[in-house]
Amino acid sequence: MSKKKIGIIGGGISGTALGWNLCLYDDAEVTVFEKGRIGCGTTAKSAGTVCLFDDSLNNRYWDVRLYGFETYLKMEAERKGSAGFDKTGTLVCATSEKEVKRIKAGIALARSAGYTGEYITDKKRIHDILPMLNTDSILGAGYTKDDGYFDGTMISNTFAAKMEDLGGTILRGAEVTEIVIENGTAKGVKTKDGDTYDFDVVVDCTGPWSRFTGEMAGLDVPIWHTKAEAFFVVPPEKHLDYVFPILKFPAFYALRAGNNIFICKSHLSMNLDDPMHAGQWDPDRLPEREGTDDYFIDFLFHQFEENVPGLTDAGLNSSWLSYRAETRDFLPIVGDTPVKNYLLATGYGGNGVIEAPAVSRDLAKYIMRGESTLLLEEWAFSRLLKKKGE
Amino acid sequence: MKIAVCVKYVPVDSKVDVDPKTHALVRSSGAGEINPADRYAVEMARQLSEEDGVSFDVFTMGPDGAARALKYAMALGAEKAVLLSDIAFAGSDTLGTAAVLAAALKKYGPYDLVLTGNASNDGATGQVGPMLAQMLGVPDVTNAVEAETDGKTAILKKKDGNTLYTLKTALPALASVPFGANTPELPTLRHQVAANQREFDTVSAADLGLDPDTLGQAGAKSIVTDTVNVTAQKQGIELIGSVDEKARDFADTVDKIQQAIGGGKHA
Ligand SMILES: Cc1cc2nc3c(=O)[nH]c(=O)nc-3n(C[C@H](O)[C@H](O)[C@H](O)COP(=O)(O)OP(=O)(O)OC[C@H]3O[C@@H](n4cnc5c(N)ncnc54)[C@H](O)[C@@H]3O)c2cc1C
């Protein structure tokens, strides 16, 4: 049986999820090139929340969210710790009637899939769930105990191990420096070591690096970098005697991370035209930690003053900066590009952990069988090309 | 009683290359943080300043970004913050750095107690504190893990290996504080945000009356002949699975290490 040879650039959650899904086809021969370690890029700095209902991904893509969540639950059930699940539940606070409607729809969807979820207006109950909240500033809150956050790096490594079990190859420390293009068609890649690899299909899964790898294929990949500035704070109580749920507000979110609370401005509140929020930078220059701007800490403080006064006197322990690869419509770019056989699975922005499983499942089927899906059609590169020309 | 804390803003990055010509360190990002040991010096000052009539100021020599180290100290209660910034300071060796700090402390002082970190985690010479004491003409105690003062004298606990010496010195004096000396308080969000808005002084060589030719690379008395990039050999092994699986994997790992170093299998 002749096999289809696929080269994947990038071993983050995008590349490894795709690699594993491709290896489920016995006529696929898959190689992942990762210039660092598996899951060391954006994925390593992720919050990893996969909430049953919140505003991070439109309810239109509910199935994507559910598929991601259940993929990781199954991973975790197969081997405890392999998805790094921390089941804290989520409290989604509504600050407008529009939000209330969206949250209630999300709850209905979660319940239809067999999970618990309720919309709470009793302020005392909300306060019992998260005592440090100012319940006066919200209309109500959606709450579920069933979800939580995962560890993107663990997941990537688990996908990588599962992929290798199925005969896939992972080249760690292998930087792709050239995409071989002949007559407008991708034919393979070259690495920093000078090795050349031939492929039938090359998939670029390099997240915020895809601007640079795209250039290697002669493409202008329309992604922007939004600053993901995460701060780790220690609540004044030091050790909380309750489970701090994932806390979602439209402009920010918070979740527990050991004895710290991870706080971050939400990805949908970023403005691609504001140079403090977004730009096009070099992810290789990102520091391992720190590198954050005063702007973000000021922003979060003012949000907390209004909404979570219990965190205003939290101690600032550490921080990190990362770049989300974001498109103009905040949805990923998946599938074909104007360069034949050079595909993209990038631009996951602030939702890569949620979206990678469903996207990878569909993209693998497309690569191996040529069958597209509604999701791939909606998240195709061509939608952005059209917008560019308008 | 006035205390001065001298802090350094150091790069956070471990991705460092060495310029083959100048032997200077080339970092992939410009991000930095207050030198780890200096946090303990700030904490010592903060604790002493809890006494009535005791206050502390903070000084750093570095580029504009070094103001972050000042803001950290201000969030923890530093009254005045001074950024010593001048192109003439760039490339200073330890002697040059101490000279700039000494001039600044004289301008803003007098100070009863000067605190520094024991060593910076980039240069790691540990020389600046003692040199500064020499230039100020005050006694100095390195590795000071605890301090008490009555405003005229200071009782300092100096750690030397496993021995703790209790030393008494007249003030003014200088003490350098090692990493781990105490438990630094974290700046709260509220205090950090307030500190981010606060003004600090920016001071140049001319403001200090220093001759630029005696400073920076031009005035350096030491020459860097080589810099070696040492890569850590330690590698973490992540154990995943249930507690039993983790325990089994851990035991296997210990066995492998023991075999590799020629030891027997553990019981
Ligand atoms: C602070 C923060 C919080 C987040 N919170 C959430 C959340 O709660 N839920 C959620 O779903 N998502 C969240 N995200 C988003 C999510 O983490 C990302 O969308 C996702 O990790 C992107 O994965 P990726 O594989 O596309 O990119 P990356 O993880 O960046 O992987 C790209 C990989 O490509 C490699 N690479 C680059 N160039 C080359 C080359 N030339 N050759 C070989 N390899 C190369 C890099 O080393 C890297 O490992 C968050 C992100 C951040 C930063």
Side-chain angles (χ1 to χ4, degrees), chain A residues 142-170:
Chain A
Y143 179 60
T144 179
K145 280 185 177 166
D146 294 340
D147 60 11
Y149 63 92
F150 297 86
D151 180 330
T153 300
M154 287 293 281
I155 292 170
S156 304
N157 280 282
T158 304
F159 275 138
K162 282 159 77 103
M163 180 190 148
E164 285 176 312
D165 284 349
L166 292 174
T169 304
I170 301 206

Side-chain angles (χ1 to χ4, degrees), chain A residues 79-80 154 233-234 284-292 294 297-298 301 304 311-317, chain B residues 12-15 28-29 31-33 68 71 186-190 192-193 196-197 238 240-242 245 249:
Chain A
R79 191 161 182 209
K80 198 168 171 353
M154 287 293 281
V233 299
V234 180
D284 279 331
R285 294 181 65 83
L286 280 169
E288 285 160 18
R289 54 177 198 283
E290 303 281 337
T292 51
D294 291 349
I297 200 71
D298 290 353
F301 176 73
F304 293 159
L311 279 181
T312 49
D313 290 310
L316 188 51
N317 199 0
Chain B
V12 290
D13 235 295
S14 59
K15 286 184 267 172
S28 59
S29 86
E33 62 186 350
R68 267 188 106 84
K71 290 175 182 177
L186 295 173
T188 65
L189 287 182
R190 183 187 305 283
Q192 190 63 64
V193 166
N196 291 348
Q197 317 294 330
E238 194 161 16
I240 52 175
S242 65
E245 284 168 331
D249 290 351

Side-chain angles (χ1 to χ4, degrees), chain A residues 13-14 34-35 42-43 46-47 49 176 253 349-354:
Chain A
I13 203 156
S14 168
E34 168 50 55
K35 69 176 179 176
T42 324
T43 301
S46 179
T49 61
V176 170
Y253 62 99
N351 284 332
V353 181
I354 299 173

Side-chain angles (χ1 to χ4, degrees), chain A residues 172-194:
Chain A
R172 295 165 173 86
E175 181 173 350
V176 170
T177 48
E178 196 180 323
I179 296 172
V180 182
I181 311 274
E182 285 171 20
N183 302 325
T185 304
K187 295 283 185 189
V189 301
K190 286 188 183 169
T191 57
K192 205 175 183 178
D193 301 341

